[in-house]
Every structure is written in C-alpha cells, then in structure tokens.
C-alpha cells in the first residue's frame, strides 16, 4: 500500500484548513457557497465501505462534528453531505452549506456558477470562525 497523498485536483481547488485525527479539512475555493471537504488520510481508499470499521466510525464522527459546527456557524436552511467521487476517485466527503437564497437553490451547486475564489483574508476569517467550534481533536493548518 502506498503512502497517503492528497489528490492533485483537491490540492488545486481547495484550501487546507487543518486536520482531525483521521481527515484533512479542506475549504473548496469557491466563495459562492460555504463548502467544506473531509478527506480521510488513508492511501488507496475510494469508497466509505473500504475503510476499516474504526476509520469508518471516525469519519462519520468527524462528519457529524463538522456538520454541527457548520450549523452553529451558518444556520443553514440545509446541509448537503455527499461522497460522490465521479471526478476525483480519492474518498472525500463534501459538506455544503445551503440557503434558500443561494444562487443555485434548489439545484445542486456543481457547475451552476463559475467559482469565485476566496481572498486569503476571507478564508482566514472562515477558519477563525470554525476552529473554536470543531473541538480539541481538530488542529488548524
């Protein structure tokens, strides 16, 4: 088995915010939506069911922790959570904060609008907002 490395497409289109014990926490570099991604730091894993039992429980625990933090920080109308992998095969779980007034509502966000990249101050502000809500197991990048 090879060592873990982040898929090049995720490296290109996201900003690293930090890490939980299992997963990296990434911010999709598209300020149209608060859009976060968890990536388990395990090599050659493409599906949730391929994780061992302990890692699978840890991923869902981290997803729940992130979901609660996003709900507290943004008070969304809906929180979309998905592990698709159609374009990036590495296992990753999207957490997209949705509002009835967002530009894609009620459609999926993919391809609806061109991405608007974050200014570094904006992504830093999001990190400062979320970090205290993510608990002691999260370490900021």
């Amino acid at each position: 088995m090879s060592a873990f490395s982040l898929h090049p497409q995720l490296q290109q289109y996201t900003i690293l915010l930090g890490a939980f014990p299992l997963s990296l926490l990434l911010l999709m570099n598209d300020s149209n939506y608060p859009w976060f991604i968890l990536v388990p730091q395990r090599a050659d894993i493409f599906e949730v069911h391929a994780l061992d039992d302990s890692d699978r429980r840890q991923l869902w625990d981290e997803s729940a922790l992130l979901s609660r933090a996003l709900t507290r920080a943004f008070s969304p109308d809906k929180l979309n959570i998905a592990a698709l992998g159609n374009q990036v095969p590495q296992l990753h779980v999207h957490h997209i904060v949705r509002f009835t007034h967002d530009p894609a509502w009620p459609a999926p966000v993919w391809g609806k609008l061109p991405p608007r990249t974050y200014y570094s101050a904006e992504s830093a502000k999001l990190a400062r907002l979320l970090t205290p809500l993510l608990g002691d197991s999260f370490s900021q990048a």
Side-chain angles (χ1 to χ4, degrees):
M1 185 180 261
S2 59
F4 170 81
S5 64
L6 189 60
H7 189 280
Q9 210 167 331
L10 290 173
Q11 286 180 5
Q12 181 179 357
Y13 295 111
T14 65
I15 300 163
L16 176 65
L17 296 181
F20 291 102
L22 175 66
S23 305
L24 296 178
L25 176 58
L26 309 174
L27 171 65
M28 181 64 87
N29 198 359
D30 180 359
S31 65
N32 287 307
Y33 319 94
W35 183 345
F36 302 85
I37 300 173
L38 288 177
V39 183
Q41 296 180 82
R42 297 293 183 261
D44 305 319
I45 297 291
F46 308 105
E47 303 291 344
V48 171
H49 67 266
L51 292 167
D52 67 34
D53 291 346
S54 175
D55 283 349
R56 191 172 50 257
R57 281 189 297 274
Q58 183 67 32
L59 175 60
W60 291 133
D61 287 348
E62 291 172 0
S63 177
L65 185 63
L66 175 59
S67 297
R68 285 190 294 271
L70 294 175
T71 299
R72 287 180 63 199
F74 296 101
S75 300
D77 295 309
K78 180 69 177 121
L79 182 60
N80 294 160
I81 301 172
L84 301 174
N86 297 349
Q87 294 186 18
V88 175
Q90 181 175 53
L91 177 59
H92 61 288
V93 182
H94 298 267
H95 293 69
I96 308 169
V97 176
R98 299 298 308 273
F99 300 98
T100 56
H101 63 274
D102 77 39
W105 186 267
V109 298
W110 284 273
K112 193 71 171 176
L113 294 173
R116 280 189 345 208
T117 59
Y118 281 99
Y119 295 106
S120 61
E122 292 174 309
S123 60
K125 181 179 176 184
L126 275 177
R128 283 192 308 275
L129 172 68
L130 283 178
T131 297
L133 301 174
L134 293 173
D136 295 337
S137 68
F138 179 74
S139 55
Q140 193 171 359

